[in-house]
Amino acid sequence: VRPDIIYFSSSMQGRGGPHSSYAGYGQNACNFSGYTELSGWPDRKPCAPYGAYTDYVCCRLAAFAMTAALIHKKLTGEGQYIEQSQFESSIHFLLQAVMDYQVNGNIMTRMGNRTPIAAPHGVFPCKGDDLWVSLSAIGEDEWQRFCKAIGKPELITDARFAGFKARKEHEDELEEIVAAWTSQHTREEVEDILLAANVSVHKVSRPSDVYQDPQLAARNYFTPLEHAVMGTQKFEPQSGFILSRTPREVKRPSPLLGEHNEYVFKELLGMSDDEIAEHIIDGSITTQMEGP
């Protein structure tokens, strides 16, 4: 009927095949794609990535396919039927593990915070209550800069750590040395020292840290407003982007329960006082929160 329409279909395992009718959520696809087996500590049970991880993966491939279809339509006038299997799209992001098994017979499994391509690589404790920093040294140059930055240039020639293979073989000992150094400093101090040496590092942020983030402050992300019960609070905008002629604004705080009842029911809906009273009596309009 409309050959110029672009129709996109996404399902758990695709159309056709013995499992095409299986229903599921992103968490299910995460499991049978193999992500769960790779997440967590090697001496503990698998720990699935947070949320429906395959949803985050598949939407990017979907956007790419849709863009290609739109370009094709612009050039030819033809539409497309695009059919996506979330299972297959997700495996695309595990090709390293698939190839390692196919070529070498190795089955990749959980490594905690470690990675096959760097050492040290992980999350280490800092001064304070449950404060951490994430750091990584990839390649010999970054490893040597790291050693000098933490004041231990002797590690460069230490036989246990001389070369990437040796560092991986003695990774437990290496991480003890790194943790002993980071634990003497705050997260910010570790960041300053290692960034000055061009070593990959970032503090492990808590949700509360966003309120002190200088980048968000510079972009006026939060708007301080006075709340009737909670006092001055920082409210975030409802859009994650800035429009030049339509500024994102938060003009009032979140309402109390029933705070705008009179405005909504009388001014917007035109209800009389008697009508409102009847609903208050039967409980369908209220300003009281029910207890547990």
Side-chain angles (χ1 to χ4, degrees):
V1 177
R2 285 289 302 275
D4 62 329
I5 283 179
I6 297 171
Y7 185 98
F8 177 81
S9 170
S10 180
S11 60
M12 188 60 58
Q13 299 193 56
R15 295 174 65 87
H19 296 165
S20 61
S21 63
Y22 285 11
Y25 295 94
Q27 288 92 336
N28 303 121
C30 182
N31 290 335
F32 54 67
S33 295
Y35 287 92
T36 303
E37 169 64 18
L38 300 180
S39 303
W41 299 101
D43 57 342
R44 304 179 194 176
K45 293 181 179 180
C47 179
Y50 174 74
Y53 187 73
T54 56
D55 286 355
Y56 312 137
V57 168
C58 293
C59 63
R60 286 155 174 77
L61 295 178
F64 184 83
M66 290 288 287
T67 301
L70 288 167
I71 294 172
H72 178 79
K73 178 179 177 178
K74 185 176 181 180
L75 295 174
T76 67
E78 295 177 342
Q80 296 284 331
Y81 171 61
I82 303 169
E83 189 266 310
Q84 180 188 50
S85 160
Q86 289 203 14
F87 184 18
E88 295 171 18
S89 296
S90 302
I91 292 176
H92 175 78
F93 283 79
L94 292 177
L95 289 185
Q96 180 183 354
V98 173
M99 184 179 294
D100 195 21
Y101 173 72
Q102 199 168 318
V103 175
N104 304 313
N106 296 328
I107 298 178
M108 188 179 292
T109 187
R110 298 177 295 287
M111 294 177 284
N113 289 319
R114 293 178 179 178
T115 178
I117 63 171
H121 180 287
V123 176
F124 300 91
C126 294
K127 268 186 178 179
D129 180 21
D130 196 26
L131 299 176
W132 303 77
V133 68
S134 175
L135 60 88
S136 176
I138 300 177
E140 293 305 306
D141 289 342
E142 190 168 16
W143 159 246
Q144 293 180 17
R145 293 196 303 272
F146 172 77
C147 295
K148 294 173 183 177
I150 68 172
K152 292 186 175 294
E154 67 275 10
L155 296 178
I156 298 173
T157 56
D158 190 316
R160 297 173 297 171
F161 313 125
F164 177 67
K165 183 179 180 181
R167 290 197 296 279
K168 293 300 290 184
E169 290 174 351
H170 298 89
E171 200 159 12
D172 289 340
E173 299 167 70
L174 176 59
E175 289 185 350
E176 289 178 5
I177 295 172
V178 175
W181 178 76
T182 58
S183 61
Q184 298 173 17
H185 302 276
T186 65
R187 296 178 301 174
E188 293 73 20
E189 289 171 343
V190 174
E191 277 190 322
D192 290 343
I193 293 170
L194 295 185
L195 286 177
N198 196 24
V199 174
S200 303
V201 63
H202 199 283
K203 69 179 181 181
V204 177
S205 299
R206 293 176 168 182
S208 57
D209 289 334
V210 299
Y211 295 106
Q212 286 78 44
D213 189 276
Q215 179 69 11
L216 295 179
R219 291 173 59 81
N220 299 314
Y221 183 79
F222 290 109
T223 301
L225 294 171
E226 191 69 23
H227 190 275
V229 174
M230 297 186 293
T232 302
Q233 296 290 319
K234 292 181 178 179
F235 290 85
E236 60 180 304
Q238 298 305 303
S239 64
F241 46 82
I242 299 174
L243 302 177
S244 59
R245 290 187 290 179
T246 311
R248 60 185 186 190
E249 294 181 323
V250 181
K251 297 182 179 180
R252 58 182 178 224
S254 53
L256 302 176
L257 181 63
E259 180 180 349
H260 301 122
N261 278 2
E262 185 173 352
Y263 168 72
V264 172
F265 294 121
K266 294 184 70 172
E267 296 191 34
L268 297 184
L269 299 181
M271 294 173 62
S272 67
D273 290 338
D274 289 340
E275 288 178 301
I276 295 174
E278 290 177 6
H279 286 288
I280 292 176
I281 292 171
D282 67 24
S284 57
I285 294 178
T286 184
T287 57
Q288 302 297 319
M289 180 74 75
E290 291 187 10

